[in-house]
Amino acid sequence: MKILFLIMTSFLLLNCKELILPIKSDIKYDLQKALLGKKLFFDKRLSKDNTISCASCHDVDNGGDDNRDFSIGVDNKKGNINSPTVFNSRYNLAQFWDGRAKDLKEQVSGPIHNPVEMGSSLEEIIKKLENDKYYKKQFALVYKNGFTKDNLVDAISEFESALVTPDSRFDLYLKGDKSALSEDEIEGYRLFKKNGCISCHNGINIGGNLFQKMGILKEYKSKVGNLGRYEVTKDVEDKSYFKVPTLRNINKTSPYFHDASAKNLHDAVSIMMEYQLGMKANKQEIEKIVKFLKTLDGKRPKILDKK
Amino acid sequence: MKKVLIIIFVFISLIFSLVYTTDHSNKKIEDFFKMQKNISYLISTNKNFDIFMSSSISYNNFDVIQKDIFKIKDILSQIKKSNYFDKELIAFKSDFLQIDDLFKKKIKTIEKLKSTSAVLNNSYRYIQTIYEKLDNKVFNTIYTRIIGLEFNSEIDIKKLQNQVNSFKVKDNTEKIFLVHAKNILQYFEKFQKQKQDIEVLSLNKKLDEFEKNFNDYSNVFIKDIKTVLWSIIILLSSSLVLFLFYYTKIAYQKIQLNRFKQAVENSDNIIMTTDYHQKIKYVNENFIRHTGYTYKDVIGKRASILKSGLNSKKFYKDLNKTIYSGKRWYGEFVNKIKDGKLSYEKTSISPIFDEKGKIIEFLAIKLDVTKEKNIEKELKEKEHLLSQQSKMIALHEMLDSIAHQWRQPLSTISTAASGMRLNKEFDSLDDKTFYELIDSIVDNTLYLSKTIDSFKTFFKTNHENTLFNIKNTVNKVLDLIGYKFNENKVEFISNIKELNIEGLEHELIQSLVNLFNNSQDAIAKNLNKDDEKFIFLDVYDDNENVVIKIKDNAKGIDEKIIDKIFEPYFTTKHKSQGTGIGLYMTYEIISKHFYGTIEVNNSTYMYKDKEYTGALFTITIPSKKDDRNK
């Protein structure tokens, strides 16, 4: 029995390579729509008082989030959850920490309507922007029925789905360039797998494809009272379950966790090991894992430089 | 024609409905197969779920299962969007909604299963590492049992949990071991419950049933489509048969018509049709041959171009009145052909009606009778000539007769006058002699005057019928030629009943004169001077006919020529004597003017105990005018 199990696990370990896949460098999206969405993404008029744009909290020049614990919305209102990165969000099984939006389209209207974020509404935006010559012209050009709520949402989500960060050093390594990572980093990756981080952070987005409980082996007490998935499903079993976040560009998206409780990667990794894996890791191991995590910074999305 | 149009209309509409139905059925089938594909995709993806469930706890790339989840969600929302089970298959709607619901539940549980398996995987792996570090062998059993959980369903988790809880830890490693053992037991219980939750859904069964029912439905609707298609095809082919039937009928009619056309084209009659306004629409070949016109000359022209002007205005008025009243007209045109010659055309003109009884055309069928007309004309001229000739002969005869009859009285007058002169000169003229001589002159003059009256009657060319007494007529004849009988010592024996005949008396006189002359000529020719010579005349009535029999004893007519004696210019006499006209004229007069008959035969008879043979002419004339008109 034991031998059989060992054989099986070692056999499965051989297939570990396939647990994480590199981002394809050419993804399909509608450039016209995405460019229109880009314009909207940076347009502060999408907020109630013209102070906040999508880009205010999802700084595309800086990891796709705002590096604050909690984002600041209209009227300087503070949110109660850490902004996740907008990068590679197309690969997530759902959007938001609690996964309440099944896709990017559903996600778009979330922050717009949230009173502590943009505090506006799609109707209001349409009213505000329908006389804008640029939008009027461009929407008429790209969409059959011009500037509508649906098309607005569609354009923004199209832009967001174009925000991928391919060709991180780790991706290059996965693609076969063994020199792309240093020995420590490779060792970090090995530890990442061995310790079981990869059980939840796998797939193309190194996370983002399942919900997991925060505090499996040790109860996690958060300063914020967010119960994650439970807020959506109202299923007791879903309490404290959150969408496993992507680890891509993790180096640029501090602070970490939904409650922004980890300010740096060291803290984040050690918390994860303690609460999720139930193990006390030594500092060296953490160091190496952090080194590995830093190889996940991808290239700037091409769409940002397109006009 | 209308029927054919209807058939064609039906035919075309059937084809349209066939195309429509085929197209519609195609869409239906297409939709069906699309749905079938979706369903089989749901089934196969569901199997992937089951494989995922049943696979051992290990590392996973959850993207793989997530892809399937996305795909299922996508298909389900597509099916909902298509409204297929709202419109096409309402009977399947509740089943589909159930499946949709089951999938939602299953997916939700699989999401949880992902988390659970990830947790289990990590603890399983880590507990092995920890176990290696443990010295205390009390954990052996619990470790093997925990490790074997996955493969041995009989292990009682509750019991294990109790065992684990009962352990007292000595160091940190043991503590970690127990934490993970507890974790494994807790999550494994969860894991099994989740699996069970999914199994309870029995989505597989439901899906298989659904697929089966759906495929069964296909048989029903394919059968429906087949029925519709077949009925259309049957209708189509039957209308095709009908069409062919009418087509052959029409073709047959065409052949018939063509036959008639051929007959008309090649007819010896002149055939022409005109429209209502008498504009020529058609002429046959014989028309062209006969008139010398070309088709181009006449088609579209008025029929009046054929007029010669010899038919009266009344003639045409009557013609138009007849044909425009819808009746057939018969008559004889005198038309002019292209080179100006006259053409006699016996013609019938029939109006041709349409279905409503309105005249649309006229059909003229003509027979060219120009030749016959000319022959008739020639005959008439000839007859006229003959009659003139016979008149001349008669005149000659009369003059002869006058000369003969006047010679005697004239010489008597002359003798009396010269006797008176001589007696006067010798002065021997006594009163007795004077009166005797004067009386003789006066008597003879009277006689002359009387004979002139007779001649006058003969030459009176009165053309109006009169009622005359046959006995008087015979007397007149005798006045004319009676002297000949005396000269030739012919005994004339007559037995005449007093009868009246209506007609031209002088013509009958002429006929009788002819017959008597012939008899006398025959007597002179065939009998000796000393022979007794007879001419018999019997007149009596018989069955409303007047019968006149003239008989002689001149031995009869040669049987070889007896049939030809009434033909013109036939004569047995010497050229100087006969012209061959007399009997012909007699025949013509009796048959055409008196509507009677004249026959001849040789007759042998007894007279005063002696046997004689001679020619017997029998003239039979109807006594009443009515009979003659028959």
Side-chain angles (χ1 to χ4, degrees):
Chain A
M1 181 77 77
K2 204 169 164 183
I3 295 158
L4 181 82
F5 185 80
L6 280 171
I7 292 167
M8 280 187 72
T9 45
S10 53
F11 171 74
L12 283 164
L13 270 171
L14 283 172
N15 293 331
C16 270
K17 265 187 190 170
E18 292 178 8
L19 291 179
I20 298 173
L21 293 171
I23 292 173
K24 284 178 194 162
S25 39
D26 54 331
I27 50 153
K28 281 178 191 165
Y29 59 87
D30 187 317
L31 182 65
Q32 290 305 313
K33 290 181 184 179
L35 284 174
L36 198 48
K38 180 172 152 190
K39 186 91 178 170
L40 288 161
F41 194 83
F42 287 96
D43 197 327
K44 289 182 175 173
R45 286 176 293 176
L46 262 60
S47 64
K48 189 172 88 179
D49 56 2
N50 303 338
T51 56
I52 308 287
S53 71
C54 302
S56 302
C57 302
H58 300 288
D59 183 357
V60 290
D61 290 324
N62 211 350
D65 72 346
D66 59 359
N67 294 37
R68 299 173 198 265
D69 286 0
F70 304 115
S71 300
I72 293 168
V74 287
D75 305 329
N76 285 324
K77 283 176 186 165
K78 216 173 182 184
N80 58 359
I81 204 151
N82 182 257
S83 286
T85 178
V86 71
F87 289 157
N88 307 313
S89 51
R90 66 180 284 156
Y91 299 117
N92 291 339
L93 84 161
Q95 304 303 330
F96 299 117
W97 281 100
D98 54 14
R100 66 178 179 273
K102 76 173 184 337
D103 56 25
L104 284 169
K105 272 191 190 177
E106 258 186 52
Q107 183 274 335
V108 169
S109 58
I112 288 174
H113 291 93
N114 194 334
V116 298
E117 293 183 36
M118 297 169 103
S120 181
S121 72
L122 289 170
E123 288 84 358
E124 214 177 301
I125 294 167
I126 294 289
K127 230 184 249 172
K128 213 191 275 185
L129 298 183
E130 76 191 340
N131 292 323
D132 184 289
K133 275 182 191 169
Y134 175 81
Y135 288 127
K136 208 172 176 180
K137 192 181 152 196
Q138 288 302 310
F139 268 96
L141 222 74
V142 178
Y143 292 97
K144 273 184 198 164
N145 50 353
F147 193 42
T148 68
K149 288 195 276 179
D150 286 346
N151 294 344
L152 177 110
V153 167
D154 187 70
I156 295 173
S157 68
E158 194 67 26
F159 168 67
E160 289 177 339
S161 73
L163 290 173
V164 292
T165 59
D167 295 336
S168 65
R169 286 200 289 125
F170 180 60
D171 280 348
L172 298 177
Y173 172 79
L174 288 178
K175 281 176 178 176
D177 181 5
K178 298 299 169 196
S179 64
L181 298 188
S182 68
E183 271 178 37
D184 275 0
E185 286 160 350
I186 294 170
E187 176 64 10
Y189 177 42
R190 197 189 67 78
L191 289 167
F192 184 80
K193 288 191 279 188
K194 188 199 142 208
N195 290 337
C197 309
I198 205 163
S199 287
C200 294
H201 294 280
N202 54 50
I204 195 165
N205 212 9
I206 320 176
N209 55 13
L210 80 157
F211 295 98
Q212 189 53 279
K213 188 177 180 178
M214 186 65 175
I216 299 166
L217 289 142
K218 188 175 176 184
E219 195 188 346
Y220 181 82
K221 283 176 180 163
S222 177
K223 295 173 282 181
V224 293
N226 200 311
L227 290 174
R229 189 78 184 136
Y230 172 77
E231 313 276 0
V232 182
T233 64
K234 299 296 168 191
D235 182 346
V236 192
E237 283 184 17
D238 283 337
K239 269 184 185 171
S240 298
Y241 274 73
F242 292 88
K243 183 184 77 190
V244 175
T246 174
L247 295 184
R248 289 190 177 276
N249 307 303
I250 194 74
N251 188 36
K252 292 179 180 169
T253 60
S254 66
Y256 305 108
F257 309 145
H258 67 279
D259 57 1
S261 56
K263 305 300 176 199
N264 56 54
L265 281 173
H266 272 91
D267 291 352
V269 174
S270 68
I271 289 170
M272 279 290 109
M273 289 189 104
E274 187 182 353
Y275 286 85
Q276 301 304 91
L277 302 172
M279 54 176 68
K280 272 242 177 323
N282 60 51
K283 279 194 173 174
Q284 281 167 329
E285 278 190 5
I286 292 172
E287 201 68 43
K288 280 171 183 164
I289 291 172
V290 168
K291 273 185 179 170
F292 160 68
L293 291 177
K294 285 182 177 172
T295 68
L296 298 176
D297 288 354
K299 280 190 180 159
R300 180 181 160 86
K302 283 178 190 163
I303 183 72
L304 293 174
D305 302 318
K306 279 185 181 161
K307 279 191 175 172
Chain B
M1 209 58 206
K2 272 179 189 167
K3 272 180 189 166
V4 173
L5 282 179
I6 287 169
I7 290 168
I8 289 171
F9 174 75
V10 168
F11 195 72
I12 288 169
S13 50
L14 278 173
I15 285 177
F16 267 110
S17 62
L18 183 71
V19 169
Y20 172 78
T21 317
T22 322
D23 188 52
H24 184 74
S25 308
N26 258 349
K27 259 183 209 153
K28 217 170 166 183
I29 292 167
E30 212 171 87
D31 283 352
F32 175 81
F33 283 118
K34 223 162 143 188
M35 190 53 63
Q36 201 180 40
K37 204 177 146 196
N38 279 338
I39 291 169
S40 58
Y41 204 97
L42 285 178
I43 288 172
S44 69
T45 314
N46 185 48
K47 279 193 181 124
N48 284 354
F49 286 173
D50 292 342
I51 290 166
F52 171 76
M53 269 166 58
S54 61
S55 62
S56 56
I57 295 158
S58 71
Y59 288 113
N60 262 310
N61 178 348
F62 292 126
D63 278 1
V64 178
I65 193 78
Q66 192 57 44
K67 228 179 209 167
D68 286 340
I69 290 172
F70 278 141
K71 186 75 199 176
I72 291 263
K73 281 181 176 172
D74 190 36
I75 288 169
L76 289 173
S77 78
Q78 261 181 42
I79 294 174
K80 272 188 215 164
K81 243 187 197 169
S82 77
N83 286 333
Y84 190 75
F85 294 110
D86 294 331
K87 287 187 293 187
E88 294 287 326
L89 268 179
I90 295 174
F92 285 66
K93 196 186 176 182
S94 65
D95 280 343
F96 169 71
L97 288 179
Q98 197 183 0
I99 284 168
D100 182 52
D101 189 49
L102 289 177
F103 260 118
K104 266 182 197 155
K105 281 178 182 158
K106 190 160 181 169
I107 286 168
K108 199 174 152 192
T109 317
I110 282 175
E111 291 284 1
K112 285 177 179 173
L113 209 64
K114 283 198 290 192
S115 325
T116 314
S117 84
V119 172
L120 277 175
N121 184 37
N122 279 342
S123 280
Y124 262 128
R125 299 180 61 72
Y126 194 57
I127 206 168
Q128 292 172 59
T129 319
I130 297 295
Y131 179 70
E132 299 297 318
K133 291 177 187 168
L134 284 178
D135 306 323
N136 201 338
K137 295 297 170 207
V138 282
F139 295 112
N140 280 1
T141 20
I142 196 108
Y143 173 73
T144 35
R145 287 204 175 163
I146 284 171
I147 291 295
L149 267 177
E150 205 186 342
F151 310 99
N152 191 350
S153 55
E154 282 162 27
I155 293 170
D156 187 346
I157 293 172
K158 283 273 174 273
K159 207 172 157 191
L160 273 175
Q161 271 174 335
N162 287 334
Q163 267 183 307
V164 169
N165 284 334
S166 67
F167 280 121
K168 294 227 167 78
V169 290
K170 289 180 204 148
D171 57 25
N172 205 30
T173 317
E174 283 181 16
K175 194 183 161 191
I176 291 170
F177 177 84
L178 281 180
V179 166
H180 279 281
K182 277 182 198 168
N183 193 45
I184 287 168
L185 289 171
Q186 186 200 337
Y187 274 86
F188 197 83
E189 208 181 9
K190 224 180 187 179
F191 188 60
Q192 276 190 323
K193 194 182 163 283
Q194 282 161 356
K195 274 185 174 181
Q196 213 180 345
D197 283 349
I198 289 171
E199 268 161 31
V200 165
L201 297 175
S202 59
L203 183 56
N204 287 336
K205 220 175 120 191
K206 202 85 205 167
L207 273 174
D208 287 345
E209 263 174 41
F210 189 75
E211 192 186 32
K212 190 183 164 288
N213 290 341
F214 187 75
N215 288 344
D216 285 349
Y217 161 73
S218 77
N219 295 334
V220 174
F221 93 86
I222 283 170
K223 208 174 149 191
D224 281 357
I225 289 169
K226 260 187 185 169
T227 318
V228 172
L229 281 179
W230 268 115
S231 45
I232 288 173
I233 285 168
I234 286 167
L235 278 172
L236 203 62
S237 37
S238 50
S239 64
L240 191 71
V241 167
L242 263 176
F243 177 76
L244 283 176
F245 175 72
Y246 277 105
Y247 185 78
T248 40
K249 213 171 156 187
I250 284 165
Y252 181 72
Q253 279 173 358
K254 243 185 183 170
I255 289 167
Q256 288 278 65
L257 215 65
N258 212 26
R259 217 175 276 161
F260 281 118
K261 202 183 157 196
Q262 290 276 331
V264 168
E265 285 282 350
N266 304 321
S267 171
D268 288 337
N269 288 324
I270 297 159
I271 294 169
M272 175 175 96
T273 64
T274 70
D275 65 7
Y276 185 79
H277 304 288
Q278 302 191 6
K279 274 196 181 138
I280 297 171
K281 280 175 81 179
Y282 167 82
V283 294
N284 71 346
E285 268 176 44
N286 203 30
F287 179 95
I288 300 299
R289 256 201 311 272
H290 174 70
T291 60
Y293 285 114
T294 62
Y295 287 105
K296 224 174 149 190
D297 289 339
V298 289
I299 301 294
K301 302 277 166 55
R302 286 185 62 91
S304 56
I305 59 160
L306 302 168
K307 275 185 182 176
S308 69
L310 288 179
N311 290 105
S312 65
K313 272 188 182 168
K314 190 177 172 290
F315 175 87
Y316 287 108
K317 214 174 139 188
D318 287 345
L319 159 66
N320 285 338
K321 207 176 140 192
T322 311
I323 59 171
Y324 280 110
S325 69
K327 285 180 201 141
R328 187 181 290 183
W329 178 87
Y330 296 98
E332 202 172 294
F333 280 117
V334 183
N335 279 342
K336 217 156 60 177
I337 61 172
K338 199 180 183 182
D339 62 8
K341 277 185 191 157
L342 289 181
S343 157
Y344 292 87
E345 294 159 2
K346 215 170 191 173
T347 306
S348 83
I349 300 178
S350 318
I352 290 171
F353 305 94
D354 63 7
E355 310 95 276
K356 289 169 191 164
K358 218 179 108 193
I359 296 169
I360 45 166
E361 279 182 16
F362 294 108
L363 169 69
I365 300 175
K366 301 169 172 186
L367 188 65
D368 174 23
V369 292
T370 313
K371 233 185 214 167
E372 288 83 347
K373 273 279 152 182
N374 287 339
I375 289 168
E376 204 179 298
K377 228 160 117 190
E378 265 172 36
L379 263 176
K380 259 188 184 162
E381 275 167 13
K382 202 164 134 193
E383 216 166 276
H384 184 67
L385 191 71
L386 279 174
S387 128
Q388 288 300 318
Q389 280 178 352
S390 83
K391 278 260 166 76
M392 287 305 290
I393 290 161
L395 191 64
H396 172 74
E397 204 134 326
M398 287 310 116
L399 286 174
D400 220 25
S401 177
I402 289 166
H404 202 88
Q405 292 190 44
W406 279 21
R407 198 176 295 145
Q408 178 66 32
L410 279 176
S411 77
T412 310
I413 291 166
S414 169
T415 310
S418 53
M420 274 171 79
R421 187 189 166 113
L422 270 175
N423 284 334
K424 185 79 181 166
E425 277 176 10
F426 292 101
D427 218 8
S428 63
L429 185 65
D430 55 16
D431 279 359
K432 196 195 164 207
T433 313
F434 175 74
Y435 283 113
E436 268 175 19
L437 288 173
I438 282 294
D439 283 346
S440 162
I441 287 171
V442 169
D443 285 348
N444 279 297
T445 315
L446 276 175
Y447 173 75
L448 287 178
S449 140
K450 195 185 147 204
T451 51
I452 281 174
D453 279 346
S454 296
F455 293 139
K456 244 168 105 184
T457 315
F458 183 72
F459 284 106
K460 201 160 85 185
T461 49
N462 190 356
H463 289 290
E464 274 174 39
N465 290 340
T466 53
L467 200 67
F468 55 89
N469 187 288
I470 189 80
K471 201 160 191 173
N472 286 344
T473 308
V474 172
N475 285 337
K476 280 176 188 168
V477 172
L478 291 177
D479 280 347
L480 283 169
I481 58 167
Y483 72 97
K484 279 189 182 175
F485 294 155
N486 297 331
E487 265 182 8
N488 296 331
K489 292 176 182 156
V490 173
E491 194 179 339
F492 180 72
I493 302 131
S494 66
N495 181 18
I496 300 167
K497 206 176 173 186
E498 287 212 26
L499 293 167
N500 289 332
I501 295 179
E502 199 186 340
L504 299 169
E505 190 185 12
H506 64 95
E507 290 202 331
L508 188 63
I509 293 170
Q510 195 186 337
S511 301
L512 293 175
V513 166
N514 279 334
L515 290 171
F516 287 141
N517 280 343
N518 277 345
S519 285
Q520 289 206 78
D521 290 344
I523 285 166
K525 192 182 165 192
N526 295 338
L527 297 180
N528 293 324
K529 223 178 177 180
D530 305 329
D531 288 340
E532 281 181 298
K533 298 153 190 162
F534 306 107
I535 289 178
F536 300 90
L537 173 66
D538 292 309
V539 176
Y540 57 93
D541 55 343
D542 169 42
N543 279 339
E544 297 169 358
N545 289 325
V546 176
V547 180
I548 303 166
K549 283 188 170 178
I550 295 165
K551 195 163 69 178
D552 58 38
N553 67 337
K555 301 195 173 161
I557 303 162
D558 188 351
E559 290 289 337
K560 284 177 197 163
I561 57 161
I562 197 165
D563 291 337
K564 296 180 186 169
I565 58 165
F566 293 117
E567 287 176 14
Y569 303 115
F570 181 82
T571 181
T572 56
K573 299 165 195 167
H574 189 267
K575 268 182 189 170
S576 59
Q577 276 185 304
T579 54
I581 292 168
L583 277 178
Y584 170 69
M585 284 310 298
T586 305
Y587 179 83
E588 290 284 298
I589 287 163
I590 299 302
S591 62
K592 290 198 177 149
H593 297 165
F594 286 92
Y595 306 98
T597 58
I598 177 165
E599 287 164 14
V600 64
N601 60 298
N602 289 324
S603 167
T604 306
Y605 56 89
M606 300 295 290
Y607 181 69
K608 289 185 178 169
D609 301 326
K610 267 182 128 174
E611 196 186 71
Y612 300 96
T613 297
L616 168 63
F617 286 87
T618 311
I619 296 169
T620 314
I621 294 170
S623 54
K624 281 186 184 170
K625 208 186 170 185
D626 290 349
D627 297 336
R628 297 177 191 173
N629 289 344
K630 271 180 187 170

